[in-house]
Amino acid sequence: MSGYPVSMQETIKKLEQTRSSRLGQDVPRLSFEGREKLLKECHPDYRKDSIRQISIGPNKGQKLTNKLVDLLEAKSYLDPEKVNLEQVDFDVDVLVIGGGGAGVSAAMIAHEQGANVLLATKLRIGDSNTIMAEGGIAAATQPDDSLERHFLDTIGGGRFENKRDLVSVLVNDAPLIVEWLKDLGCMFDTHPNGDLVVSFAGGHHRKRVHSCKDLSGMEFMRVVRDELYNKGVPVSEFSPAVELLMDEQGNCAGAVLLNLETEEFSVVRAKSVILATGGIGRLHPNDFPTTNHYGATADGLIIAYRGGANLLHMDAIQFHPTGAMWPEQMLGQLITEACRGNGAHLVNKNGEHFINELETRDTVSSAILREVIDRGNGIKTPTGGEGVWLDTPLINIRGDEGKLDRMFAGIVHRFTEYGIDVRKEPIMVFPTQHYQNGGIEIDPEARTSIPGLFAAGECSGGVQGRNRLGGNSLLDIFVFGHRGATSAVNYISSAKVGKLTLQHVREYHRELDAAGIKNKMASPLLLPDYIRDEVKKRRYS
Amino acid sequence: MNEQLVPIYVMGKKYDVPEGLTIMKAMEWIGYKYIRGCGCRGGFCGACSTVYRMPGDYKLQVGLACQTTITSSMYLTQIPSYPNPKAAYDLNKIENPAKAILEVFPEIAKCVGCGACVKACPQKLRPIDYVAAALRGDWEQTAEMSFDCIMCGLCASRCTGELVPYNIALFVRRYFSKVVRPKPEHLINRNRDIRNGQYDLAVKALAEKSAEELKKLYDQRQFEKI
Ligand SMILES: Cc1cc2nc3c(=O)[nH]c(=O)nc-3n(C[C@H](O)[C@H](O)[C@H](O)COP(=O)(O)OP(=O)(O)OC[C@H]3O[C@@H](n4cnc5c(N)ncnc54)[C@H](O)[C@@H]3O)c2cc1C
Ligand code: SF4
Ligand code: SF4
Ligand code: FES
């Protein structure tokens, strides 16, 4: 019994017929120019309705991803006139906003360096994109690899628009971060002698992704969270930041938090703030499904922008080539790149192989979109969806009988629930929104353009250029989590916080009015809205 | 599309919802907006643990709301949080792990081997076995057997001996990975060289190249084989 409807099973037969011939032939890699051409033709970033000009703020006149502009052109969730800034609820050295890998590592390091820290996060600590990462963390730790090789792959992957100083520190700190994680007790995959196992991810020309089975992010997250608790760092959950606070000198001086359950606000005065609020997926750029966690609503970008920080590359969204397309319950969920890194092919309805699976994500996603939309070579689902096959049985065929069970137990398990045996049958995939390539511009010390405000992880921009490589984000969050903490602690040694103000929010509102913008939204969004219109229509109060 | 509706009972109240949805999407379809009980939406964070029963069946079943498809007539309740305070410890100061485990988690000795935890685990783990392995001092077994734990708390909610099995497992995994497993030579060597600044010039030289030169180098890369 197959978990696939009969209509889909026919194309599986074609795929099986071509399997042995496909095994012998790798699809050649595209040149950089060839890739650029494909991207411009097929990547969702180049669709007419995907980006639009923002009319106010530091990036005024530039084009950013549409749904972000909607929120940037909205008024604040907060009424600045109602906030009593005299009543300070927390007074700290360093306020860290966001409880994923970047935030937790930053809070931990700042605490270790003697600062008085508060970590505020929107959901629970660890409810984040970090905990969902499967593949692993990139670092040049192998003898036949080097920092230069990692640099070249990363900057080419980012289409040569990454900030080079950021990439230099990223690749430099990478092996140090792997050691830091190992010393904290993260259970990396190892060879019998203790050497670290490394795998491929798209766009890397060496195997350099270090994994903890197929739950790498979860392993890192639960370990750093455990250590944060061991160190007794104060934490406030279900308390998203809704605006930053400034002082009269224009330095960042804290934030206003919202208790999501009681809807009461609180005021945090801080000598410095580290933003680590993660990505944008739950805004569903271009209306794609997303792999991201529930809280990925770009809040950090919104509040930093109101404060005057500029954004970088926010017209470049990452679509992961292999989001699940069937069964519908799994729509948009990630099928890790490690499947392709371990030999699974992408195959169209004719059983053909159409792209080298280890190209960068922007390239592979574009190739799938071209196959399905432009060439009509997709496989249709009974519910109107379309996708291509990911030939997972090849992983065992190219490796050994037990490889899928050993390395991809999570995937085997999740599909078994729906009657699909990925050892024998392929997985149907289609691109899904995955990562925010850009963000708040930082420098190698994780400083933003606002004094006292630092940013780390997915909410920051410049490190990954216009397209991130697999494994480079788990790396980014810890590299800049560390750097942000160290810079913040250095900064506070001479920082003096003046009188707290929300003047920047008032001015932003005035600018919106002056530009004649009146959208009915309020931002940050905090949580996505999945309530049906039918239900809303009948909420009469 | 004509949706087939099926009844489910959310904390006892009946709703008719479209067949085939996950519990989480069914809750949203009904009109709930999650604050608690929803984190990753992908089966990783353990925020959405759910207990349910089917009519006529005494057995209590468990699942993750984001991963479990609704079945007609199920009675369900999510358990977004369970009071399980975590004992603090300093991993750097552990000399005798067998002794430390009894000090940090004295309740571990109260495991009665009832197996209630096994029935409660949505990840199909066997806390009863990994707790026993930890008591035996078999760190590797404990680590391997507990690796897929998402710390959802359901085993602790059912534990006869009032243990918090997943915190014990995390302690052991960390000890095992940090101390029992050797630190790889290749990592030690690379980091010694990085700390000595051995790569600084090479990376700097690359970072200073023109875009044209970099593109050329990029296209000339030789790929390691799968
Ligand atoms: C399914 C999946 C798989 C992935 N796999 C890999 C991989 O294998 N390798 C890799 O390198 N990268 C991977 N990534 C990317 C990587 O995991 C993330 O980019 C990275 O972990 C982001 O970390 P972060 O700390 O910056 O953000 P997050 O981990 O998302 O943490 C941000 C935190 O801030 C909170 N927050 C949001 N808004 C507010 C607010 N207003 N106030 C307070 N808190 C707020 C969020 O709820 C969240 O807890 C993957 C991502 C996903 C989604
Ligand atoms: S072992 Fe316990 S905490 Fe871990 S997944 Fe199973 S029930 Fe949840
Ligand atoms: S439920 Fe508790 S007491 Fe019973 S076997 Fe599991 S850990 Fe032991
Ligand atoms: S929401 Fe994270 S496991 Fe279900």
Side-chain angles (χ1 to χ4, degrees):
Chain A
M1 259 284 287
S2 165
Y4 290 111
V6 181
S7 61
M8 291 167 72
Q9 285 178 34
E10 303 199 339
T11 60
I12 300 186
K13 290 203 192 93
K14 290 229 172 94
L15 164 142
E16 285 166 350
Q17 282 161 12
T18 60
R19 196 176 271 148
S20 54
S21 62
R22 271 187 281 119
L23 261 177
Q25 26 148 298
D26 268 344
V27 179
R29 303 249 177 188
L30 293 175
S31 67
F32 184 71
E33 290 313 320
R35 169 179 165 213
E36 287 289 300
K37 185 164 170 289
L38 172 62
L39 294 181
K40 285 178 184 143
E41 282 166 12
C42 300
H43 195 279
D45 282 350
Y46 292 94
R47 290 182 188 168
K48 265 203 224 78
D49 57 355
S50 73
I51 51 175
R52 91 168 199 268
Q53 229 178 45
I54 171 124
S55 24
I56 66 163
N59 290 68
K60 183 172 170 175
Q62 292 174 20
K63 288 188 171 167
L64 316 177
T65 188
N66 238 324
K67 302 227 168 137
L68 179 64
V69 178
D70 291 343
L71 293 178
L72 289 172
E73 293 187 344
K75 293 214 166 149
S76 175
Y77 188 97
L78 193 74
D79 179 351
E81 307 312 326
K82 285 192 179 160
V83 185
N84 176 6
L85 294 175
E86 302 295 316
Q87 190 183 340
V88 173
D89 300 281
F90 301 91
D91 205 344
V92 295
D93 293 336
V94 181
L95 169 66
V96 180
I97 303 176
V104 171
S105 59
M108 204 163 112
I109 303 292
H111 172 89
E112 276 172 21
Q113 296 182 359
N116 169 11
V117 180
L118 173 69
L119 172 60
T121 192
K122 183 156 62 184
L123 302 165
R124 304 172 312 163
I125 296 249
D127 293 347
S128 61
N129 284 1
T130 302
I131 208 163
M132 307 183 78
E134 299 174 18
I137 184 168
T141 67
Q142 304 296 308
D144 65 347
D145 199 359
S146 68
L147 307 194
E148 302 94 277
R149 290 180 190 281
H150 192 180
F151 181 97
L152 194 60
D153 287 340
T154 301
I155 201 146
R159 299 168 70 191
F160 300 99
E161 292 196 31
N162 323 45
K163 286 179 72 173
R164 294 186 183 189
D165 50 355
L166 295 182
V167 180
S168 299
V169 301
L170 182 81
V171 302
N172 181 79
D173 293 2
L176 301 169
I177 289 294
V178 170
E179 186 171 3
W180 177 74
L181 289 167
K182 152 90 182 151
D183 286 341
L184 281 172
C186 291
M187 197 164 137
F188 282 104
D189 293 335
T190 58
H191 295 289
N193 69 353
D195 283 1
L196 299 170
V197 172
V198 283
S199 302
F200 263 125
H204 293 281
H205 75 291
R206 287 287 180 271
K207 292 183 189 166
R208 64 166 75 96
V209 178
H210 304 69
S211 52
C212 311
K213 305 190 198 279
D214 58 353
L215 296 172
S216 308
M218 187 162 98
E219 172 65 352
F220 300 157
M221 191 70 239
R222 64 194 174 188
V223 166
V224 293
R225 176 176 57 197
D226 193 52
E227 193 56 20
L228 188 82
Y229 291 152
N230 279 344
K231 297 213 149 78
V233 178
V235 165
S236 182
E237 297 183 322
F238 298 97
S239 302
V242 287
E243 286 303 343
L244 294 174
L245 291 168
M246 300 290 170
D247 69 8
E248 307 113 314
Q249 280 82 48
N251 300 332
C252 186
V256 181
L257 309 180
L258 169 67
N259 181 327
L260 280 178
E261 295 179 310
T262 63
E263 295 178 23
E264 187 185 359
F265 290 92
S266 57
V267 172
V268 184
R269 177 164 55 203
K271 292 187 188 136
S272 65
V273 174
I274 303 176
L275 268 179
T277 49
I280 196 173
R282 290 283 155 190
L283 303 187
H284 298 285
N286 286 58
D287 294 322
F288 272 77
T290 181
T291 60
N292 287 189
H293 86 289
Y294 188 46
T297 50
D299 301 352
L301 270 53
I302 309 286
I303 62 180
Y305 195 77
R306 281 206 189 103
N310 67 303
L311 309 178
L312 208 57
H313 300 143
M314 278 316 299
D315 52 344
I317 300 297
Q318 181 163 87
F319 297 87
H320 195 290
T322 54
M325 194 63 195
W326 191 267
E328 293 227 300
Q329 290 90 336
M330 287 181 63
L331 185 74
Q333 286 183 27
L334 182 71
I335 308 300
T336 171
E337 188 159 308
C339 289
R340 283 172 285 133
N342 284 283
H345 284 165
L346 288 166
V347 179
N348 67 17
K349 73 168 182 195
N350 306 317
E352 293 154 349
H353 200 182
F354 53 86
I355 185 78
N356 186 305
E357 286 75 10
L358 290 174
E359 296 277 9
T360 52
R361 287 178 182 168
D362 49 0
T363 315
V364 181
S365 287
S366 300
I368 295 176
L369 292 166
R370 179 176 64 186
E371 215 54 27
V372 172
I373 299 171
D374 302 355
R375 296 180 173 166
N377 282 338
I379 296 103
K380 292 195 168 58
T381 72
T383 47
E386 248 182 301
V388 297
W389 292 119
L390 178 68
D391 194 1
T392 44
L394 269 180
I395 296 175
N396 278 358
I397 295 172
R398 300 176 85 162
D400 59 84
E401 279 278 298
K403 194 161 178 184
L404 271 160
D405 285 282
R406 201 170 56 244
M407 290 187 66
F408 303 102
I411 295 179
V412 174
H413 170 79
R414 275 186 280 162
F415 279 89
T416 307
E417 301 273 298
Y418 298 104
I420 295 168
D421 182 353
V422 302
R423 309 177 196 94
K424 302 207 177 85
E425 293 173 304
I427 295 175
M428 176 148 208
V429 295
F430 193 72
T432 178
Q433 191 285 341
H434 187 57
Y435 185 75
Q436 163 191 303
N437 291 306
I440 306 157
E441 181 170 359
I442 56 167
D443 73 3
E445 308 313 323
R447 288 180 290 228
T448 69
S449 55
I450 303 175
L453 181 67
F454 304 82
E458 193 166 342
C459 73
S460 74
V463 192
Q464 315 288 359
R466 302 186 65 82
N467 174 65
R468 168 178 74 84
L469 296 189
N472 269 353
S473 175
L474 286 178
L475 175 59
D476 167 358
I477 63 179
F478 294 125
V479 167
F480 291 96
H482 277 69
R483 287 179 171 260
T486 306
S487 310
V489 172
N490 285 340
Y491 171 85
I492 58 176
S493 62
S494 58
K496 277 217 174 55
V497 181
K499 197 169 149 42
L500 299 181
T501 117
L502 279 165
Q503 195 52 28
H504 63 289
V505 177
R506 288 191 194 94
E507 273 158 26
Y508 197 87
H509 285 176
R510 268 200 289 280
E511 249 191 278
L512 280 172
D513 291 340
I517 301 166
K518 272 200 192 69
N519 77 22
K520 291 210 182 81
M521 304 173 88
S523 65
L525 187 63
L526 305 179
L527 294 173
D529 184 3
Y530 293 133
I531 306 297
R532 292 176 303 140
D533 287 341
E534 288 84 337
V535 173
K536 281 189 198 155
K537 259 189 237 149
R538 306 194 62 186
R539 288 180 173 165
Y540 299 136
S541 60
Chain B
M1 210 169 62
N2 244 342
E3 284 166 327
Q4 180 78 30
L5 299 185
V6 297
I8 62 170
Y9 297 83
V10 177
M11 294 178 275
K13 183 168 164 62
K14 178 169 177 272
Y15 292 98
D16 292 312
V17 299
E19 212 177 10
L21 297 180
T22 57
I23 294 173
M24 183 166 281
K25 287 191 178 154
M27 296 286 284
E28 288 173 336
W29 191 90
I30 290 167
Y32 281 91
K33 178 162 182 166
Y34 279 105
I35 293 176
R36 295 256 177 188
C38 171
C40 66
R41 303 177 75 98
F44 299 94
C45 74
C48 67
S49 40
T50 305
V51 291
Y52 63 95
R53 274 196 171 102
M54 302 304 296
D57 188 355
Y58 68 89
K59 268 181 77 116
L60 188 69
Q61 309 199 49
V62 294
L64 298 172
C66 67
Q67 299 296 298
T68 310
T69 309
I70 52 163
T71 14
S72 178
S73 303
M74 73 198 306
Y75 282 72
L76 66 93
T77 298
Q78 278 189 247
I79 306 185
S81 170
Y82 205 77
N84 293 330
K86 196 203 96 72
Y89 55 86
D90 184 345
L91 201 60
N92 291 313
K93 294 211 177 113
I94 288 173
E95 275 156 21
N96 180 345
K99 195 160 146 253
I101 211 168
L102 290 170
E103 281 164 12
V104 183
F105 308 101
E107 68 283 2
I108 191 175
K110 285 176 36 196
C111 173
V112 295
C114 66
C117 48
V118 178
K119 293 185 195 158
C121 180
Q123 293 290 85
K124 305 205 161 63
L125 301 179
R126 299 181 55 83
I128 183 175
D129 292 345
Y130 71 60
V131 166
L135 269 169
R136 284 199 305 277
D138 190 338
W139 313 129
E140 179 159 14
Q141 274 276 340
T142 312
E144 290 291 346
M145 283 194 294
S146 68
F147 188 82
D148 287 352
C149 171
I150 57 175
M151 303 179 73
C152 70
L154 281 175
C155 53
S157 79
R158 305 283 289 152
C159 179
T160 316
E162 295 166 304
L163 281 70
V164 183
Y166 57 87
N167 279 339
I168 299 171
L170 179 56
F171 169 88
V172 173
R173 280 197 307 274
R174 290 188 63 188
Y175 176 78
F176 170 73
S177 309
K178 178 184 169 69
V179 181
V180 181
R181 276 195 173 157
K183 191 179 282 190
E185 282 298 315
H186 65 94
L187 187 62
I188 296 172
N189 294 341
R190 178 60 41 90
N191 283 339
R192 182 197 53 224
D193 293 349
I194 288 177
R195 290 189 180 102
N196 289 338
Q198 199 151 311
Y199 303 98
D200 293 359
L201 287 177
V203 172
K204 188 158 175 279
L206 199 58
E208 282 167 357
K209 286 201 189 303
S210 72
E212 288 322 302
E213 284 172 303
L214 276 179
K215 279 182 193 159
K216 208 148 134 213
L217 287 172
Y218 188 67
D219 274 341
Q220 288 167 351
R221 292 170 307 156
Q222 295 289 323
F223 284 80
E224 187 180 351
K225 289 263 170 291
I226 284 193

